[in-house]
Amino acid sequence: MTTTTRAFRSASLVLWGSLLTYALGVPGTAPAPTGASRGGAARVEMRDVMRWLDLDRNGRIEAFEAAAAIRIEESYYDEDGPEGFSQSEILDLFEERREYAREMARDLIAEYDFDGDGTLSRAEASFELLASFWELDRNRDGALTEAEIRHFDHDSVRSYVMGEEAAIWLGIDPDGDGEAPLAEIDPEEYDVAALDLDGDGTLVRDEVARYYARDARGATFEIAGRYAVMNGSITGATLGRLMRILVEEPQVDRILMEEVPGTMDDVACQEAALLVHRHQFHTELAPGGEAASGGTDFFLAGWRRKLGEGARLGVHSWAEYDALGEREGGDLPRDAPEHESYLEFFRAIGIDPEFYFFTLEAADAYGMHYLTAEELIRFGVETGDGDVDDGGAQALGDEEAGDQ
């Protein structure tokens, strides 16, 4: 283990020890709070700590994962750049998260409480809540109160799977017969061919759920010499996995993307992509490979970029969801403040911000537009300085590859 790696892990353990002290309310080396935080919080619950730092939701917190969680949080809260968190800022952070949970609970009840009794029954609960209904219903009375809904983990795998499955299925199975032939689905409106896991040309609901459950595990990286071969969607855990490669695999300078269909978290995706750009990793899309949505943003962050033969890059509009509905980036005027973080990202990686507005108009959030040869040239997508046709292809067959 390198000195850098030991220091990295030691710093994370110090952070973990401090948070553990707060959570359990026991004496420790961390100083006790000297005053009330902005939100008046005096204690951090272990559940809150795990939701913050356990990005892959596997019940364990690893050093690089914790570092990634902190960096992602910094991008939300620190406008002047990464400076870490003081004790009072950590307490404020968790109070803000609790207030957000309260607001979401109130919004969900306002939207779905059809009988007006102030609670949500199973028949009234949203698709995301249904996945965790009995876990949340602590008194087993068959109804969720605002206090119970506050404990709902909106970033959990179950929440993601149920939400994505419901949104897609309602659109592709309008007659409700439980089957959706691909031949009857407009790919420009719903790009769902990859969800046909058994390849029979017809989607059933279980296939959609299994696809998104697999998708939620996040992108993996296999090390093959100077290459990190990437497959899967970008999640909060992706940044930590890239940090591990940066520290423990210093020979890696190229990311060979095979299938990267998108992201579950735009902020986490941008932070992972910015790390790629700042450390001058090259990105290559393997022959016949595909990257879409956040996967395309990640590819564009490469210091140099190359597309293999038959590779495709997909783009579409982003969408925001909350208890009261959804809206898409393409529905907003060009000067709307919601665009700014995306524009800053593309400026930071050297891509014309006009590309961002192009993606919003190319396809809605449920569709996908694949860049044409003319569009690839127009936006300078490919720099041409890569090894997809030789080194990259060789990396795909390297039997000594290791998982990250």
Side-chain angles (χ1 to χ4, degrees):
M1 184 185 300
T2 66
T3 301
T4 302
T5 304
R6 284 196 296 269
F8 211 125
R9 290 180 175 170
S10 296
S12 294
L13 288 172
V14 169
L15 167 74
W16 171 242
S18 297
L19 290 174
L20 187 63
T21 298
Y22 297 147
L24 298 180
V26 298
T29 58
T34 56
S37 67
R38 186 168 65 247
R43 184 182 176 90
V44 174
E45 300 289 341
M46 278 301 295
R47 177 183 62 251
D48 297 329
V49 173
M50 294 300 292
R51 286 185 180 180
W52 181 23
L53 301 181
D54 181 21
L55 294 176
D56 60 10
R57 296 298 192 267
N58 69 350
R60 298 179 61 84
I61 299 173
E62 299 178 356
F64 291 98
E65 183 179 39
I70 293 168
R71 179 66 198 103
I72 292 169
E73 203 68 43
E74 284 174 337
S75 69
Y76 278 111
Y77 290 94
D78 288 351
E79 297 180 359
D80 298 327
E83 297 178 352
F85 291 94
S86 68
Q87 175 178 302
S88 63
E89 287 172 335
I90 290 175
L91 295 174
D92 287 342
L93 185 157
F94 283 111
E95 178 57 26
E96 288 171 3
R97 284 172 169 248
R98 282 190 285 268
E99 178 56 31
Y100 175 75
R102 287 190 285 267
E103 291 178 0
M104 287 295 292
R106 289 193 291 266
D107 287 345
L108 284 166
I109 290 176
E111 178 70 5
Y112 296 107
D113 179 22
F114 300 116
D115 61 13
D117 67 352
T119 67
L120 296 183
S121 65
R122 279 187 62 82
E124 294 172 321
S126 65
F127 289 106
E128 297 93 332
L129 284 176
L130 279 175
S132 305
F133 191 93
W134 293 118
E135 178 184 339
L136 294 172
D137 184 20
R138 297 186 173 188
N139 62 4
R140 297 295 187 268
D141 65 351
L144 299 182
T145 64
E146 179 183 320
E148 289 173 325
I149 296 173
R150 290 177 198 167
H151 296 292
F152 177 55
D153 184 359
H154 296 271
D155 295 322
S156 71
V157 171
R158 281 188 295 180
S159 172
Y160 170 77
V161 171
M162 292 290 286
E164 291 293 315
E165 176 211 16
I168 291 291
W169 195 254
L170 289 175
I172 65 176
D173 185 31
D175 60 7
D177 67 353
E179 295 187 348
L182 290 178
E184 299 177 6
I185 301 172
D186 180 0
E188 288 293 323
E189 185 175 2
Y190 291 97
D191 185 44
V192 293
L195 280 61
D196 183 21
L197 299 181
D198 61 11
D200 66 353
T202 298
L203 292 178
V204 296
R205 192 155 188 169
D206 178 65
E207 281 182 307
V208 178
R210 285 189 288 124
Y211 174 87
Y212 282 110
R214 184 181 65 186
D215 187 51
R217 291 195 289 268
T220 61
F221 296 88
E222 292 185 349
I223 305 304
R226 69 190 298 191
Y227 285 88
V229 183
M230 180 181 186
N231 277 285
S233 289
I234 299 165
T235 67
T238 303
L239 178 60
R241 291 168 185 170
L242 284 169
M243 287 178 172
R244 182 182 295 278
I245 291 171
L246 187 65
V247 173
E248 298 186 348
E249 303 288 349
Q251 81 284 1
V252 171
D253 66 353
R254 296 171 186 261
I255 299 177
L256 182 61
M257 303 167 69
E258 292 189 289
E259 298 292 332
V260 184
T263 180
M264 290 172 55
D265 184 329
D266 283 346
V267 173
C269 178
Q270 289 181 5
E271 287 300 320
L274 287 170
L275 182 145
V276 165
H277 190 75
R278 289 167 183 154
H279 290 276
Q280 300 186 11
F281 285 98
H282 305 325
T283 51
E284 304 178 359
L285 192 52
E290 182 174 314
S293 188
T296 295
D297 296 347
F298 186 94
F299 173 82
L300 290 172
W303 196 252
R304 290 188 171 89
R305 304 177 296 274
K306 187 173 179 65
L307 297 171
E309 183 178 356
R312 299 198 304 169
L313 288 171
V315 298
H316 63 179
S317 176
W318 55 263
E320 283 186 341
Y321 308 87
D322 58 31
L324 301 180
E326 73 173 76
R327 60 178 176 173
E328 298 195 7
D331 298 332
L332 303 174
R334 288 172 68 100
D335 61 354
E338 289 84 352
H339 296 311
E340 190 55 36
S341 64
Y342 296 95
L343 295 173
E344 288 179 0
F345 167 74
F346 283 110
R347 293 188 194 105
I349 64 173
I351 298 296
D352 184 350
E354 281 300 315
F355 175 76
Y356 165 69
F357 289 111
F358 166 79
T359 67
L360 300 184
E361 299 170 359
D364 66 24
Y366 294 109
M368 193 67 66
H369 170 76
Y370 292 93
L371 298 178
T372 65
E374 185 276 330
E375 291 162 350
L376 292 172
I377 295 172
R378 173 184 169 192
F379 293 109
V381 169
E382 189 174 16
T383 66
D385 297 320
D387 295 327
V388 167
D389 295 329
D390 40 52
Q394 182 178 353
L396 293 176
D398 193 329
E399 295 181 356
E400 298 179 0
D403 289 331
Q404 287 292 322

